[in-house]
Amino acid sequence: MIEFKNVSVSFKQDKQIFAAVNDANFKIKKGEIFGIAGSSGAGKSTLLRTINLLQTVSSGQIFVDGENVTNYKKTQLRILRRNIGMIFQHFNLARNLTVYQNIAFVLKAAGKSKSETDARISELLGLVNLSDKKNSYPANLSGGEKQRVAIARALANDAKILLCDEPTSALDLETTSSILGLLKDLNKKFGITIVIITHELDVIKGICNRCAVMNKGSVVEIGDVYAVFTKPREAFTRQLLSHTNHFSLPKEILDKMEGPIIRLTFKGDNANNPILYYTANAFQIGFNILLGKIEYINGLPLGILYVQLIGEADTLKLAIDYLAENTADLEVINHGL
Ligand SMILES: Nc1ncnc2c1ncn2[C@@H]1O[C@H](COP(=O)(O)OP(=O)(O)OP(=O)(O)O)[C@@H](O)[C@H]1O
Ligand SMILES: [Mg+2]
């Protein structure tokens, strides 16, 4: 478990003090995959780096597994960092070392013998599916392969926590999904706690259990990913989500349409009910689906449908009331009645 207690980090800029992280107070549970989202410069990397003390705090405390690590020095710090692996957007591998040597380096630093090192590297490369690349140099690896090496290196000394700073931002979509799959597997197999910073909200939707949203140094929202994405409490979160959720009917199409057009949101259990079918039968009206998608956030469905309703005005009003009661949200986009 990781706990931030009144954590602030200030920097001096042009003789002025400014807070890159402002009074962070929250816990990350053992074994969860926790995401941190927010705009550029919000303080995400700074906050993440306080966990392994790459960044010292200006005030407040960091607890790891119940222990106050804030003022750890030398030996304690070295042991802490062995337990907390970290990976980065640009992989940070040593270019002049092979895959084997990149990983051996951290095992040697932890005092492992040659035979222990060899055995552990074989095991790690098997885990990240790179057994055939042991003697390759980073220049001859793809981005996804480099990140796999970085993950193997980060976990070499049996780290229990993995910090990820934009781990997939330099990767294409397919490679991103394979790296996320690997992180999810490692989390499941070994119970590793994963903290992941990303500006790609799909990454958070795809693998995180809970997430925090940061704005200008402050954590403004925190909660289960599904709740944050389907019912954001803060205006800033709604704004952040709107950048990725380009899902609306083009105005020129809307203007051409006759009859009421509604936007329906289905969440969790009600996403699986054939509610349109029930409504059409009960009220004898027609539906014309104009736009729709169902996505899965943390394994739970969120569906959005734009539908044009066809029928008599009185019946349509009743049908809209019925739909409003039986879906997570109903917005009338165009009354047309
Ligand atoms: N060592 C430093 N000295 C001075 N200012 C710093 C230092 N590190 C970070 N900052 C400033 O702190 C603020 C937060 O930076 P940080 O890197 O944590 O943001 P971020 O949320 O990770 O942004 P991005 O998404 O662009 O990576 C920025 O304004 C940055 O310029
Ligand atoms: Mg950053």
Side-chain angles (χ1 to χ4, degrees), residues 50 54 68 70 79-81 103 106 113 129 143 150-151 179 200 208 224 226 234 247 250 253 257 295 301 306 317:
T50 62
L54 280 180
N68 186 347
T70 324
I79 295 168
L80 178 78
R81 286 192 183 147
I103 306 173
V106 295
S113 69
N129 213 0
I151 292 170
I179 291 293
E200 300 161 305
C208 294
D224 285 339
Y226 194 74
E234 297 297 317
F247 193 73
I253 302 286
M257 291 283 170
E295 62 177 335
Y306 284 80
K317 276 185 187 141

Side-chain angles (χ1 to χ4, degrees), residues 51-322:
I51 300 173
N52 57 358
L53 310 188
L54 280 180
Q55 173 66 57
T56 51
V57 303
S58 309
S59 60
Q61 288 121 29
I62 312 282
F63 291 81
V64 175
D65 283 337
E67 228 188 283
N68 186 347
V69 302
T70 324
N71 298 313
Y72 269 15
K73 300 254 160 19
K74 290 186 181 156
T75 313
Q76 283 180 309
L77 187 56
R78 211 166 27 218
I79 295 168
L80 178 78
R81 286 192 183 147
R82 248 177 244 158
N83 277 320
I84 306 181
M86 189 160 184
I87 59 170
F88 306 86
Q89 178 174 2
H90 296 295
F91 326 119
N92 294 19
L93 299 176
R95 278 195 289 168
N96 56 335
L97 302 181
T98 62
V99 167
Y100 173 92
Q101 290 165 335
N102 261 287
I103 306 173
F105 184 77
V106 295
L107 288 164
K108 238 174 250 164
K112 296 283 190 305
S113 69
K114 170 85 169 74
S115 64
E116 282 172 318
T117 300
D118 284 354
R120 181 69 179 139
I121 291 180
S122 294
E123 190 183 4
L124 286 162
L125 291 181
L127 214 53
V128 300
N129 213 0
L130 276 186
S131 299
D132 53 336
K133 300 286 182 185
K134 190 169 147 186
N135 297 314
S136 302
Y137 284 90
N140 300 326
L141 299 176
S142 70
E145 288 166 345
K146 283 184 216 173
Q147 197 58 295
R148 283 170 187 272
V149 177
I151 292 170
R153 183 181 59 179
L155 301 180
N157 288 310
D158 298 310
K160 301 290 181 293
I161 297 172
L162 181 63
L163 309 180
C164 313
D165 195 342
E166 301 277 4
T168 58
S169 300
L171 304 175
D172 63 34
L173 282 179
E174 200 181 327
T175 316
T176 292
S177 110
S178 90
I179 291 293
L180 296 181
L182 173 62
L183 292 176
K184 213 170 184 173
D185 275 356
L186 293 170
N187 165 262
K188 241 197 202 150
K189 248 189 223 161
F190 305 109
I192 297 170
T193 308
I194 298 181
V195 189
I196 183 162
I197 291 182
T198 179
H199 68 272
E200 300 161 305
L201 297 179
D202 283 342
V203 168
I204 294 192
K205 280 189 216 165
I207 68 162
C208 294
N209 311 116
R210 293 194 310 137
C211 68
V213 177
M214 288 188 77
N215 181 28
K216 294 182 186 157
S218 299
V219 175
V220 293
E221 181 145 2
I222 186 162
D224 285 339
V225 168
Y226 194 74
V228 170
F229 276 81
T230 56
K231 227 178 191 147
R233 279 184 291 108
E234 297 297 317
F236 177 78
T237 313
R238 283 196 287 277
Q239 186 198 330
L240 193 73
L241 296 182
S242 71
H243 293 313
T244 59
N245 225 348
H246 297 296
F247 193 73
S248 55
L249 216 49
K251 189 170 178 314
E252 54 278 21
I253 302 286
L254 251 180
D255 289 346
K256 270 193 244 157
M257 291 283 170
E258 286 178 12
I261 294 171
I262 57 173
R263 180 187 195 271
L264 291 169
T265 304
F266 303 88
K267 284 184 204 168
D269 284 347
N270 79 20
N272 299 321
N273 287 337
I275 190 71
L276 290 185
Y277 170 78
Y278 292 151
T279 314
N281 263 351
F283 297 91
Q284 290 297 306
I285 61 166
F287 287 104
N288 182 19
I289 295 175
L290 304 170
L291 185 69
K293 72 164 178 183
I294 296 182
E295 62 177 335
Y296 289 84
I297 302 175
N298 205 2
L300 291 171
L302 170 68
I304 295 172
L305 272 187
Y306 284 80
V307 270
Q308 179 186 27
L309 305 181
I310 300 152
E312 296 296 325
D314 289 350
T315 334
L316 288 180
K317 276 185 187 141
L318 292 173
I320 289 174
D321 289 346
Y322 178 77

Side-chain angles (χ1 to χ4, degrees), residues 11-13 18 20 39-47 55 166:
F11 295 115
K12 232 184 191 164
Q13 259 183 6
F18 108 102
S39 41
S40 182
K44 306 180 295 295
S45 296
T46 307
L47 181 66
Q55 173 66 57
E166 301 277 4

